[in-house]
Amino acid sequence: MHQLCSRYGMVTHRMIRHGIQESKRALAASTTAKLSPREPDFPTVQTAIPGPKSLEYKSELNTIQNAGAVQFFVDFHKSQGNYIADIDGNVLLDFYTMIASIPLGYNHPRLEMALNEPRNRIHFINRPALGSFPPKDWIHRLRAALLQVAPPGLNAVQTMACGSCSLENSQKLMFMAHQKKVRDGKPPTREELQSCIKGQHPGSPNNLTLLSFSGSLHGRTMGALNMTHAKWIHKLDFPQLDWPMASFPRLRYPLEEFTRENREEEQRCLEEAEDLIFNYNKAGKTVVGVAVEAIQGEGGDNHASPFFFQGLQDITKKYNIQFLMDEVQTGCGQTGKFWAHEHFNLREAPDIVTFSKKMLTGGFFYKEHLRPSEPGRIYNTWLGDPAKVILLEEVVKVMKEENLLSVVNDTGKYLVDGLKIIEKDYPGVLQNARGIGTYCAIDFPTIEARDKAIVDIRNKGVNVGGSGESTLRLRPTLLAQRHHVDIFLNVLNEVVQSMASKRNTAPPKATKAAMAN
């Protein structure tokens, strides 16, 4: 790939200012092979997005269900690699990827090969009740896919259909483990067996809780919602249990300029979490576990340092409770390591690690002491889908063969550095550029500004998403390379420059100098 340089070390101001034509020339001169050779070189936008066909389809869908959240309708036949096509003929560079759930881009040839493999077809036709009637190759599939990438220290795994049910059943593991300790390994009493049917004490204990954090999203089903605290739309009108919620750190950026303040903030949050555990326990509402996202996604791409996560694990050890790391959005390589918590240098593995999204199937890894004693305690009809595990096995092979974690780290650094350049140029419009791997984000001053930017960026050929109050979140595929970042940064710069001019903000000196060149 072409060498990019500036006083900030990455994308030149000239490249950003001169836009898409400069990106085309750079790509033509590149000696780096595209990882998705069937994809187009650049976006093409023919209509406003959503276009007339998408609006027509949305209106029709709205007669069947609430379609208010639909952005546009996708033509998956025409989507390739890092590019998503809509039914109006627009082809967009996708930096949102079905809310971070597409690992190798659209219609990857290796996944097509896995689908067409004769011995695999039977699993796409028949979906078994895995807890009772697993297929004969199920053990092999688990070992070839999931156990190949198990977090270090965890070798037990349970598949599920989605992230929410993964969290809900992880909650069950923690409650069962606590009650097993309370019974000292003895079987439940007759009274417990009878009372639990009515949802009454002692069989259904009403004094057990789990601690979670402000800004979290652990799922939208009723049990997971007890640990979800991101937005009102997730929780309004639903009855919730009295479980403790601690503050998640709100770091200040650039990190290197606020080292002391950020350490104090993380220490404050750790002390608050421990105080809540102590006080809830004292009040008879025993905290049996702590759940935390490796990076808060829906809450606004909120990061914390290894110090925070190490301290949190120490607290769980002190109180002899379970430590759940939610990697539904961060797992499968987006952060440059297969699991984001590998960046934290934890003293030992978390007790539970949940996954979904890019893993194509839901589920959780867990330590052996959490294994249920009785069959059927963690159960539903499907418990996942062998067809998705077949595809995951192929994803893992491609990741290793093409060294995609190195690609993610290179692309991610390039992306973050480019975001910081534009942020420096327009400090009144953008702030807090951050990311690890290609799990990246930047903030706008208001939700209105962010939402308008998303629309404008999309109409210029790049699909992006929002999170938190005013965050632009970026979730490209594992195959995204520097030339994709160039396209996005050029579009982002055009949009932000327009926003700045409307605010009567003069271009900074660095921009004027670049334009003069």
Side-chain angles (χ1 to χ4, degrees), residues 252-259 262 420 423-424 432-433:
R252 299 175 65 183
Y253 293 86
L255 294 176
E256 63 274 11
E257 295 182 14
F258 296 100
T259 303
N262 288 338
K420 289 180 178 179
E423 177 187 348
K424 282 179 177 289
N432 303 332

Side-chain angles (χ1 to χ4, degrees), residues 43-49 89-92 457-462:
T44 55
V45 179
Q46 300 182 13
T47 72
I49 303 169
N90 302 300
V91 180
L92 311 179
I457 291 169
R458 187 176 294 150
N459 281 315
K460 288 181 178 290
V462 183

